[in-house]
């Protein structure tokens, strides 16, 4: 039997001259065919989920109800300025910047 | 952002981004994250006017519910942080927001604004006028 042909022969038994191998029990066969791949899949899923949780902890979607100020005051208008701002509607006309919606 | 909805790490990230932007640019940065009252741009300009020094201040307003981002620069800040650079930073933040990362997008956008407004150090020696 050539090398190529030997690869095509189903491993129904032990080759002549090889040490005898025990026939696996159905439980061992199930463990090898389903148990180990399942365990690997679970480990991969846990790793992926852990990474997702880590990202979510840093960048979770935010739906605020109370505003947060960083580097500014509370946002309450001073009385004199409030009157001017509320009558003009917008702030300083010389302001610049940008706007986006998503 | 409601303080209860942000983790301490997220809050620190935002504070650090504001601090870095200010260190880079020598401008004053303020971040407001929360609901805008009425039209977001008008509200952002009103808030900007309440800051301690509006001409040198940059206000970033983000309303996640309305999906609105506004950047307001004062008259002095506008000289070093032009509208086009604000628009670029806003687009960068927008891409993060669309991916659901509000805090990360704000932090990166603030640092981008700070870098854009960075004042280069001059090595020239001022000649004496004697």
């Amino acid at each position: 039997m050539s090398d190529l042909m030997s690869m095509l022969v189903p491993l129904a038994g032990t080759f002549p001259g090889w040490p005898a191998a025990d026939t696996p029990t159905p439980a061992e066969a199930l463990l090898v065919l389903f148990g180990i791949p399942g365990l690997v899949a679970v480990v991969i899923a846990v790793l992926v989920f852990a990474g997702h949780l880590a990202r979510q902890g840093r960048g979770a979607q935010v739906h605020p109800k109370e505003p947060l100020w960083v580097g500014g005051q509370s946002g309450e208008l001073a009385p004199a300025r409030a009157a001017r701002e509320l009558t003009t509607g917008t702030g300083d006309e010389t302001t610049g910047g940008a706007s986006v919606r998503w | 952002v409601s303080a209860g909805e942000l983790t301490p790490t997220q809050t620190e990230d935002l504070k650090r981004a504001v601090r870095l932007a200010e260190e880079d640019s020598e401008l004053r940065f303020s971040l407001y994250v929360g609901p805008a009252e009425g039209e977001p741009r008008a509200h952002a300009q009103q808030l900007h006017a309440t800051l301690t020094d509006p001409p040198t201040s940059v206000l970033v307003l983000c309303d996640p519910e309305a999906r609105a981002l506004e950047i307001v620069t004062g008259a002095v800040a506008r000289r070093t942080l032009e509208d086009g650079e604000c628009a670029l930073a806003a687009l960068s933040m927008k891409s993060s927001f669309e991916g659901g990362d509000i805090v990360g997008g704000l932090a990166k956008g603030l640092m981008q604004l700070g870098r854009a407004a960075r004042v280069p150090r001059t090595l020239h020696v001022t000649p004496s006028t004697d």
Side-chain angles (χ1 to χ4, degrees), chain A:
Chain A
M1 184 183 299
S2 67
D3 291 341
L4 181 60
M5 288 300 294
S6 66
M7 287 189 290
L8 300 176
V9 174
L11 294 178
T14 306
F15 285 120
W18 286 30
D22 297 332
T23 302
T25 63
E28 289 173 336
L30 286 175
L31 176 68
V32 171
L33 290 177
F34 300 105
I36 293 176
L39 183 63
V40 171
V42 167
V43 169
I44 292 173
V46 167
L47 290 175
V48 170
F49 192 59
H52 176 71
L53 280 181
R55 283 193 302 274
Q56 196 175 37
R58 293 183 61 82
Q61 284 204 353
V62 182
H63 298 289
K65 293 182 177 59
E66 298 174 8
L68 171 76
W69 271 97
V70 178
Q73 61 186 65
S74 65
E76 294 178 0
L77 298 175
R81 177 169 282 163
R84 177 171 57 84
E85 294 302 330
L86 292 175
T87 52
T88 56
T90 60
D92 190 354
E93 296 301 328
T94 60
T95 58
S99 306
V100 292
R101 303 290 182 266
W102 74 95

Side-chain angles (χ1 to χ4, degrees), chain A residues 55-78 81 84-86 89-102, chain B residues 1-2 5-6 10 13 15 18 29-33 39-41 45-47 49-51 59 64-65 67-73 75 78 83 86-87 90 94 97 100-101:
Chain A
R55 283 193 302 274
Q56 196 175 37
R58 293 183 61 82
Q61 284 204 353
V62 182
H63 298 289
K65 293 182 177 59
E66 298 174 8
L68 171 76
W69 271 97
V70 178
Q73 61 186 65
S74 65
E76 294 178 0
L77 298 175
R81 177 169 282 163
R84 177 171 57 84
E85 294 302 330
L86 292 175
T90 60
D92 190 354
E93 296 301 328
T94 60
T95 58
S99 306
V100 292
R101 303 290 182 266
W102 74 95
Chain B
V1 172
S2 168
E5 297 183 43
L6 276 182
Q10 290 174 322
D13 285 348
K15 288 180 179 176
V18 168
F29 277 79
S30 297
L31 172 66
Y32 173 92
V33 186
E39 205 280 318
R41 183 70 187 174
Q45 287 180 318
Q46 286 184 359
L47 293 177
T50 68
L51 298 175
L59 173 74
E65 291 289 337
R67 294 176 169 266
L69 174 76
E70 298 289 345
I71 301 172
V72 181
T73 53
R78 196 178 184 186
D83 293 352
C86 292
K94 178 187 174 186
F97 296 162
D101 188 4

